[in-house]
Amino acid sequence: MRHSRTLTCLALAAAFTGIRPASAAEPPPATTPAASAAAAALDRSTDPCTDFYQFACGGWLKANPIPGDQSRWGRFDELAEHNRLALKDVLEKAAAGTGQRQPIDQKIGDLYASCMDEPAVEAKGVGALKADLDRVAALKAKSELADLTASLHAVGVGVLFQFTSTQDFKDPNSVIAEADQGGLGLPERDYYFKDDAKSVELRKQYVAHVQGMFELLGDAPDEAAAGAKTVMDIETALAKASLDVVARRDPNALYHKMTPKELLALNPSFDWDRYAKAAQTPPLVSVNVDVPDFFKGLEEQIKTVSLDQWKTYLRWHVVHSSARALSSPFVNENFAFYGKTLTGAKELRPRWKRCVAFVDDSLGDALGQRYVEATFGADGKERMSKLVAALEKALDQDLKALPWMTEATKKQAFVKLNAMANKIGYPDKWHDYSTIRITPDDFLGNLNRSAAFETKRQLDKIGKPLDRAEWGMTPPTVNAGYNPPLNDITFPAGVLQPPFFDKTMDDAVNYGGIGAGIGHEITHGFDDEGRQFAADGSLSDWWTEADAKEFEKRADCIVQQYGDYVAVDDLKLNGKLTLGENVADSGGVRIAYMAMTQAVADAAKAASIDGLTPDQRFFVGFSQIWCENRTPEFARLVAQTDPHSPARYRVNGVVSNMPEFQKAYGCKAGSPMVRANACRVW
């Protein structure tokens, strides 16, 4: 799976959930979520010039408390639940099919059936992990770490570091090997070092969780406590050598192309030749070592940490990586920390929901193919293509009129915009899963074999030409993305529904919803990360020095603006972490508004619906895709790890910088939604 450093998304992904027994009565299938600009979602008691997010979403927020099995509930989640029910229907039919099933139906149906067979999972208990735990126990010397690490990586156990394939940033049509930092159990490196009271307490709870898992493996309490301390010590050392989430936003900081011998020089105590042989990689000519200092730090740990301590660390990650797929004691312990403590969810999701997610994660193209057949109309790609073209035209016009950029840089910006590729709905070519053995009675085995297939598929790309047609999202995904090295945008079928796009709604609302989303992804090509990649996807500087300084000055305005917003309690947003998404939000809405004013016929421009003019409906349509409630725990987690701002600021932060919004709602100077020092990049 492509690293997040090369894929910017419209919204954050769902976080840290688990499995629970199926409920006695599940809710009936939902209808498609209500369209944007629903009058009932408004809070007309709020002055739109004071708090536009509350005005647009207040009614929805009041009517939609967070379900017990969620850590947040918003319009994305509402649509994801609708899609989940559609996928459930696909999977139940596939699982119940006869011996005449098509191969992909057998794969997805039997994987779903094995997940839903709770008695079989409970009966296996920790025995499902026996093979991996035995491999760890059999480790006789540190020289064998390379073989064991490769075998664990193959089935998705994230020990020591990450190793996969990646597009060469300087030779964008080539694929090379990539070695990156990894091996942690907490969400991000700074979780190991922050000294505020909540962070200190969270580390204590994490250590207690690790101890709890060791006890479930059969360790005595004292032995489990000592093991948890060992894990924390090793992970803290690895975290110290890692880059934080803000530093990782700079693609130049993550590009260090080396020969295998140069990597070995950083980390001579780890047998990289042995690892490559065990992982069955193609011949390695070069490796992008994302964070060289991490591998220097890993070298120190391999030399100083004892073999028994490494075995303790490896045991932890074996059980940690599989906990959600094991028997209920492991599932419950995993959820207690990663669900309740980290995100504030109150209860495990129904088993069927998690089983749907496991199939999507493991056999996404097979499930996606059936999903598209069941839900995505033949005209979907055509409708979206027209919208994308309208947004690209608007950005073209915006660039031409941009007062701060010189003609030399504009010329290159037009080249990049014209080269941007669009992936809409679903891929033209599906992955072939025919070599994976999937049975209805081996849940964890199915997951491991699927993970090994995907690991090998990624590694086999090394040394081959880049496949620019490949997708990084599955079709049912409720999200969208821009990939800087590929210079393309992706809009899966899953998001091309209400409230983001609804053919029954007027153009103003659709341009505010999916139009702003398209504009958001296009603008990512010109945010603080995207602007560092050229039209062909190469990491190269196509800006004049003067224009780069002008961009940075305007970007810093946004950093300061969002850095003043409070995420939760005493924790403010990190304006540098969220810069790219904030720039994309602002630019996306602006060019979507430009496209809307050109698309809406003159006669319609004067028409009001529910007392709102087309301009007003545009901004309501944009705002209502972001309506959401969050638990305080989840708000704290994502403020430290996620590059997206909370929904309230994605709305108010954008409109408060826009004269177009202020004119639409008659906001006067001095109103909260009229920033005296308005920020604008695009």
Side-chain angles (χ1 to χ4, degrees):
M1 182 172 292
R2 189 172 298 279
H3 291 180
S4 60
R5 69 179 176 84
T6 58
L7 181 65
T8 54
C9 295
L10 188 63
L12 68 163
F16 306 112
T17 53
I19 300 174
R20 70 168 171 84
S23 301
E26 297 296 349
T31 57
T32 303
S36 285
L42 299 173
D43 174 9
R44 294 186 184 270
S45 68
T46 297
D47 180 357
C49 298
T50 298
D51 184 346
F52 189 65
Y53 178 76
Q54 181 63 30
F55 170 82
C57 291
W60 189 95
L61 298 175
K62 185 177 180 180
N64 288 274
I66 304 170
D69 66 347
Q70 306 280 339
S71 55
R72 66 167 187 185
W73 189 249
R75 304 310 301 276
F76 281 82
D77 308 285
E78 196 175 38
L79 179 51
E81 185 75 353
H82 167 76
N83 285 352
R84 201 174 288 121
L85 286 161
L87 294 173
K88 179 188 179 189
D89 183 62
V90 168
L91 289 168
E92 287 180 341
K93 290 177 180 176
T98 67
Q100 301 302 313
R101 291 178 296 176
Q102 293 292 319
I104 65 171
D105 297 310
Q106 180 271 316
K107 302 287 188 191
I108 62 176
D110 285 356
L111 177 53
Y112 184 72
S114 70
C115 180
M116 290 298 292
D117 189 356
E118 188 175 6
V121 174
E122 293 295 328
K124 287 186 177 181
V126 72
L129 290 178
K130 185 176 187 304
D132 285 338
L133 292 173
D134 285 350
R135 279 197 289 269
V136 172
L139 194 66
K140 295 294 192 296
K142 292 182 185 179
S143 60
E144 298 175 356
L145 268 176
D147 301 272
L148 181 56
T149 299
S151 69
L152 294 178
H153 280 179
V155 294
V157 182
V159 294
L160 300 185
F161 55 86
Q162 300 177 66
F163 194 88
T164 186
S165 60
T166 191
Q167 182 180 357
D168 188 334
F169 282 2
K170 298 288 187 177
D171 183 11
N173 291 318
S174 301
V175 179
I176 60 174
E178 177 182 45
D180 198 1
Q181 65 189 41
L184 307 182
L186 286 172
E188 197 268 330
R189 62 93 63 194
D190 284 355
Y191 272 78
Y192 293 85
F193 304 111
K194 287 188 175 181
D195 57 5
D196 60 279
K198 289 185 180 295
S199 297
V200 171
E201 178 59 27
L202 184 64
R203 285 195 291 273
K204 291 180 181 178
Q205 292 171 307
Y206 176 60
V207 172
H209 165 62
V210 177
Q211 177 180 341
M213 282 294 197
F214 279 139
E215 290 181 16
L216 289 176
L217 290 177
D219 294 0
D222 288 350
E223 181 185 6
K229 182 181 183 304
T230 294
V231 168
M232 191 62 174
D233 288 344
I234 292 174
E235 289 188 358
T236 300
L238 295 178
K240 185 177 181 180
S242 301
L243 287 182
D244 64 33
V245 288
V246 174
R248 290 182 65 85
R249 285 187 49 73
D250 180 3
N252 285 288
L254 299 176
Y255 186 77
H256 307 92
K257 190 174 179 179
M258 300 181 180
T259 65
K261 287 185 178 180
E262 289 172 324
L263 173 57
L264 182 60
L266 292 175
N267 189 192
S269 296
F270 187 84
D271 193 334
W272 283 96
D273 289 337
R274 195 165 170 175
Y275 174 87
K277 183 178 180 181
Q280 300 179 33
T281 71
L284 300 182
V285 177
S286 56
V287 181
N288 183 49
V289 182
D290 288 35
V291 188
D293 284 347
F294 174 81
F295 290 94
K296 293 178 183 177
L298 177 61
E299 169 66 15
E300 184 64 23
Q301 291 305 298
I302 292 176
K303 288 193 300 186
T304 59
V305 173
S306 72
L307 182 64
D308 284 343
Q309 289 173 318
W310 276 119
K311 290 164 77 170
T312 297
Y313 165 86
L314 294 170
R315 281 181 77 224
W316 151 245
H317 277 279
V318 165
V319 66
H320 168 59
S321 69
S322 299
R324 294 183 304 142
L326 297 176
S327 54
S328 54
F330 293 93
V331 170
N332 292 335
E333 175 60 41
N334 181 76
F335 177 74
F337 180 74
Y338 287 103
K340 289 183 178 179
T341 299
L342 269 183
T343 77
K346 295 179 174 59
E347 61 189 56
L348 287 162
R349 293 184 182 179
R351 190 173 189 90
W352 72 264
K353 292 186 183 182
R354 295 306 303 136
C355 290
V356 167
F358 276 123
V359 180
D360 189 34
D361 289 343
S362 301
L363 302 172
D365 265 26
L367 180 58
Q369 188 172 343
R370 290 294 183 253
Y371 170 83
V372 166
E373 291 169 357
T375 65
F376 198 57
D379 61 343
K381 283 194 175 188
E382 182 180 355
R383 294 200 311 266
M384 274 297 295
S385 295
K386 290 180 179 178
L387 278 168
V388 171
L391 269 295
E392 289 176 341
K393 179 180 178 181
L395 180 55
D396 181 274
Q397 294 172 342
D398 182 56
L399 286 170
K400 287 177 180 176
L402 205 64
W404 57 266
M405 182 179 282
T406 64
E407 291 303 317
T409 305
K410 282 184 180 182
K411 182 179 179 180
Q412 295 303 314
F414 291 132
V415 171
K416 180 169 186 178
L417 178 61
N418 291 331
M420 194 174 291
N422 306 318
K423 295 174 179 175
I424 297 171
Y426 53 89
D428 294 326
K429 182 180 179 181
W430 303 97
H431 297 326
D432 178 5
Y433 297 116
S434 60
T435 60
I436 308 176
R437 183 170 63 88
I438 302 293
T439 68
D441 57 357
D442 186 14
F443 178 39
L444 186 60
N446 289 335
L447 295 183
N448 286 344
R449 289 187 289 274
S450 299
F453 169 86
E454 180 61 18
T455 300
K456 187 68 165 59
R457 192 180 74 83
Q458 294 295 339
L459 292 176
D460 283 348
K461 297 177 183 179
I462 295 171
K464 296 179 180 177
L466 178 71
D467 179 5
R468 290 184 176 270
E470 185 175 2
W471 278 49
M473 296 183 180
T474 64
T477 301
V478 183
N479 210 337
Y482 172 77
N483 192 312
L486 290 176
N487 191 28
D488 67 18
I489 61 174
T490 302
F491 274 84
V495 78
L496 302 180
Q497 304 176 69
F500 305 96
F501 177 78
D502 183 358
K503 60 184 178 183
T504 68
M505 300 297 290
D506 64 296
D507 280 343
V509 172
N510 280 326
Y511 273 96
I514 199 66
I518 296 167
H520 173 102
E521 301 306 340
I522 293 173
T523 306
H524 267 310
F526 305 92
D527 70 10
D528 60 310
E529 284 187 278
R531 77 176 190 84
Q532 299 185 61
F533 291 85
D536 64 352
S538 61
L539 182 60
S540 58
D541 189 357
W542 47 274
W543 292 64
T544 67
E545 183 178 353
D547 287 334
K549 289 181 179 179
E550 286 293 330
F551 176 92
E552 290 165 3
K553 181 174 69 175
R554 284 160 174 76
D556 188 61
C557 179
I558 291 179
V559 170
Q560 299 301 321
Q561 175 188 352
Y562 284 81
D564 285 338
Y565 292 142
V566 175
V568 60
D569 300 330
D570 59 342
L571 181 64
K572 288 189 174 183
L573 294 187
N574 185 330
K576 292 183 178 179
L577 174 61
T578 59
L579 173 60
E581 298 298 332
N582 297 332
V583 168
D585 280 342
S586 177
V589 175
R590 194 176 299 277
I591 64 172
Y593 179 83
M594 291 174 61
M596 185 273 293
T597 59
Q598 295 169 13
V600 175
D602 290 339
K605 290 179 181 178
S608 291
I609 300 175
D610 292 325
L612 299 174
T613 67
D615 282 12
Q616 291 172 334
R617 292 199 303 278
F618 169 87
F619 288 108
V620 169
F622 156 66
S623 302
Q624 286 190 346
I625 67 173
W626 297 115
C627 302
E628 71 165 17
N629 287 303
R630 294 180 169 189
T631 65
E633 295 86 350
F634 184 74
R636 181 170 290 275
L637 168 67
V638 295
Q640 298 174 86
T641 60
D642 191 79
H644 302 84
S645 297
R648 180 176 299 276
Y649 303 129
R650 296 191 78 162
V651 172
N652 288 351
V654 168
V655 301
S656 63
N657 286 321
M658 292 188 66
E660 299 91 340
F661 164 80
Q662 293 143 19
K663 179 181 179 181
Y665 281 92
C667 300
K668 298 179 180 179
S671 300
M673 294 297 97
V674 182
R675 284 179 54 83
N677 179 29
C679 301
R680 177 179 177 179
V681 179
W682 302 108

